[in-house]
Amino acid sequence: MALATQPATNFFNKKNPLLNSFSTKQPKISTRSLVIRNSATVAPPSTVRIAKECKVKSVKARQIIDSRGNPTVEVDLVTDDQLYRSAVPSGASTGIYEALELRDGDKSVYGGKGVLSAVQNVNNFLGPKLLGVDVRNQADVDAIMLDIDGTPNKAKLGANAILGVSLSVCRAGAGAKGVPLYKHIQEISGTKELVMPVPAFNVINGGSHAGNNLAMQEFMILPVGATNFAEALRMGSEVYHTLKKIIEKKYGQDACNVGDEGGFAPNVQDNREGLVLLMDAIEKAGYTGKIKIGMDVAASEFLKDGKYDLNFKNQPNDGAHVLSAQSLGDLYKDFVKEFPIVSIEDPFDQDDWNSWASLQSSVNQIGTVTESIRAALDSKAAGWGVMVSHRSGETEDNFIADLSVGLASGQIKTGAPCRSERLAKYNQLLRIEEELGNVRYAGEAFRSL
């Protein structure tokens, strides 16, 4: 569900054929007597199935603010006596093949990052078309929205508009069936076993997320040696606080300020230094061998003229840290030999296919629930690992927690154990594990589920 950015174009005029193709009126429904089901709501236990209204009665979007202070889309979908609410995340770094989110482009309002055009697309186009549609049929609903948009990357209506509706439809589908969201996702994806994911805590920030010299974007810890998710969260939190003390002692109090995703951004001079810090914290916390390391390189951010500039934040520079794809690949191999690295995400540019031949990455989110499920299933069939991921601009919406369990992805990346919009996902996973009772934790087998 990762979203790149494109300015809005004008779809709201009398000559627009899409606008003239169907009515833009939706029935007005009072929300005062509705039960609101949002990201913090826990559905009935999976053993309880309650027959409920399953047809869409209204869809309404609004502009809210995400964790980075930027506008994003929130969507309310009403069935009978239920209102299902979802909010859309947004990323700081985006790839050219990701679905495009629609921004208003008016620099005088929110610096051009408003999403009122996307909101209108939900309220005027998507909502009216979905009235009376059965929310239990996720694939059908998503197909209707993709057909209305008619572009390969959702550029007309905006992926943020389409995704917001898709998430709320999925929640409504679970509600109509009387099952938890993760159980509904398991059923529509055909996943055989529910599995609690290994959390990948982003504890040191670099790249576009930080003002230090680190070119690589995220340095993560993965508690693969935990016996369950609750223990994994405790291990991650303890290492996080140990790391904070190490950073404060070595770099000063200012270095303990946290970034967009809750990680620290100390004045580290190179990527190896960041890995050494992680190893020190893991050892001091007493988890050597039980916690592994992951990296999200976001290499496209520092690709220039076919080569990778590890000193791209300092311009101009002498080119001493500019590497060919082969040299960068050799650097990764050296890291893997020296450190317990089990995951490297986006190690090369998305078009650098020759370099990708020897390395794998997690699946990128792409725009609707159905497409995300299909991407995950295709990746698993090809022998790839799947990582369900947050974005740097998040909300309190915790949909991806249920998604990771329902798909048995084995991994979830949703920031450090810090900041409430990150903890919303981890806390939901605690609730799910408690509700399921005897449920498998992915652990060392996170990639082979």
Side-chain angles (χ1 to χ4, degrees):
M1 300 174 196
L3 311 175
T5 303
Q6 172 170 293
T9 53
N10 183 16
F11 295 104
F12 306 103
N13 56 65
K14 295 181 179 179
K15 296 181 179 180
N16 189 336
L18 181 59
L19 182 61
N20 296 327
S21 63
F22 53 83
S23 171
T24 61
K25 294 182 179 180
Q26 294 192 67
K28 291 184 178 180
I29 297 178
S30 172
T31 61
R32 291 182 179 179
S33 60
L34 296 176
V35 176
I36 299 177
R37 300 285 185 183
N38 58 21
S39 59
T41 303
V42 179
S46 56
T47 56
V48 179
R49 288 181 179 263
I50 306 169
K52 295 182 178 179
E53 177 62 53
C54 56
K55 301 293 180 64
V56 176
K57 288 196 171 182
S58 74
V59 181
K60 177 180 174 58
R62 66 180 59 85
Q63 178 174 271
I64 63 171
I65 303 301
D66 70 17
S67 61
R68 292 188 295 152
N70 293 325
T72 191
V73 178
E74 182 177 78
V75 175
D76 290 351
L77 184 147
V78 175
T79 54
D80 187 7
D81 60 342
Q82 304 283 327
L83 186 157
Y84 300 91
R85 177 171 293 160
S86 302
V88 179
S90 178
S93 60
T94 51
I96 61 175
Y97 297 115
E98 295 179 4
L100 294 174
E101 70 179 1
L102 202 61
R103 296 284 181 180
D104 297 337
D106 182 353
K107 297 296 184 182
S108 67
V109 180
Y110 285 114
K113 294 185 177 181
V115 292
L116 293 179
S117 297
V119 167
Q120 290 182 66
N121 285 343
V122 173
N123 295 337
N124 295 338
F125 300 146
L126 297 176
K129 271 292 189 181
L130 296 179
L131 296 181
V133 172
D134 191 333
V135 294
R136 295 170 298 180
N137 300 327
Q138 184 76 41
D140 292 345
V141 179
D142 287 342
I144 291 171
M145 293 193 289
L146 295 179
D147 185 62
I148 295 171
D149 179 81
T151 68
N153 59 353
K154 306 166 185 68
K156 182 179 290 185
L157 297 180
N160 43 349
I162 294 171
L163 176 58
V165 178
S166 185
L167 296 176
S168 289
V169 167
C170 196
R171 284 193 164 99
K177 291 159 63 175
V179 300
L181 179 56
Y182 60 82
K183 182 64 176 177
H184 176 54
I185 292 170
Q186 179 191 25
E187 292 174 353
I188 63 177
S189 65
T191 301
K192 293 182 180 180
E193 179 189 12
L194 295 171
V195 179
M196 298 303 298
V198 173
F201 299 105
N202 172 19
V203 293
I204 294 182
N205 296 165
S208 297
H209 294 171
N212 53 23
N213 286 331
L214 282 177
M216 299 178 185
Q217 187 166 273
E218 298 176 1
F219 294 76
M220 299 172 284
I221 52 174
L222 288 77
V224 297
T227 57
N228 53 45
F229 180 81
E231 184 182 22
L233 182 56
R234 177 174 64 83
M235 292 166 65
S237 179
E238 290 174 0
V239 171
Y240 179 77
H241 287 287
T242 301
L243 178 64
K244 180 178 180 179
K245 293 177 182 177
I246 293 172
I247 289 174
E248 181 178 6
K249 182 177 180 180
K250 186 171 183 178
Y251 302 98
Q253 179 63 42
D254 289 348
C256 294
N257 295 332
V258 299
D260 289 344
E261 300 177 5
F264 304 114
N267 189 27
V268 176
Q269 297 305 307
D270 60 46
N271 299 290
R272 186 182 181 282
E273 186 178 348
L275 293 168
V276 170
L277 281 175
L278 289 188
M279 292 301 297
D280 193 14
I282 291 170
E283 180 181 359
K284 282 184 167 58
Y287 293 119
T288 299
K290 291 186 175 182
I291 293 182
K292 305 298 184 182
I293 293 175
M295 300 171 66
D296 180 357
V297 178
S300 296
E301 296 290 306
F302 53 88
L303 178 72
K304 184 178 180 181
D305 299 327
K307 294 189 176 182
Y308 297 91
D309 185 1
L310 297 182
N311 194 28
F312 78 102
K313 294 184 180 181
N314 297 308
Q315 296 294 337
N317 62 57
D318 60 8
H321 296 89
V322 175
L323 301 179
S324 65
Q326 181 176 345
S327 296
L328 183 60
D330 290 340
L331 179 63
Y332 294 142
K333 292 175 182 178
D334 290 341
F335 284 165
V336 170
K337 290 178 182 177
E338 187 175 358
F339 304 98
I341 295 174
V342 294
S343 176
I344 301 179
E345 183 179 352
D346 294 340
F348 302 104
D349 179 66
Q350 54 255 38
D351 284 329
D352 193 353
W353 290 107
N354 290 332
S355 301
W356 278 97
S358 61
L359 293 167
Q360 293 184 345
S361 171
S362 63
V363 66
N364 233 352
Q365 297 96 330
I366 50 179
T368 65
V369 172
T370 301
E371 289 172 299
S372 297
I373 289 173
R374 174 48 51 197
L377 295 178
D378 288 347
S379 296
K380 286 186 176 185
W384 284 48
V386 176
M387 177 179 281
V388 171
S389 178
H390 67 163
R391 302 312 306 269
S392 57
E394 269 291 345
T395 71
E396 63 274 17
D397 191 297
N398 58 23
F399 183 93
I400 64 170
D402 288 78
L403 181 66
S404 67
V405 176
L407 289 179
S409 66
Q411 305 172 77
I412 186 169
K413 181 176 73 170
T414 183
C418 172
R419 297 182 56 128
S420 60
E421 77 279 358
R422 314 294 155 181
L423 293 169
K425 286 73 166 170
Y426 294 132
N427 289 336
Q428 176 70 353
L429 286 165
L430 288 176
R431 299 182 195 106
I432 292 172
E433 185 172 67
E434 180 184 76
E435 183 178 284
L436 288 173
N438 185 24
V439 59
R440 178 183 171 193
Y441 173 67
E444 297 274 5
F446 68 87
R447 192 179 286 109
S448 58
L449 295 174

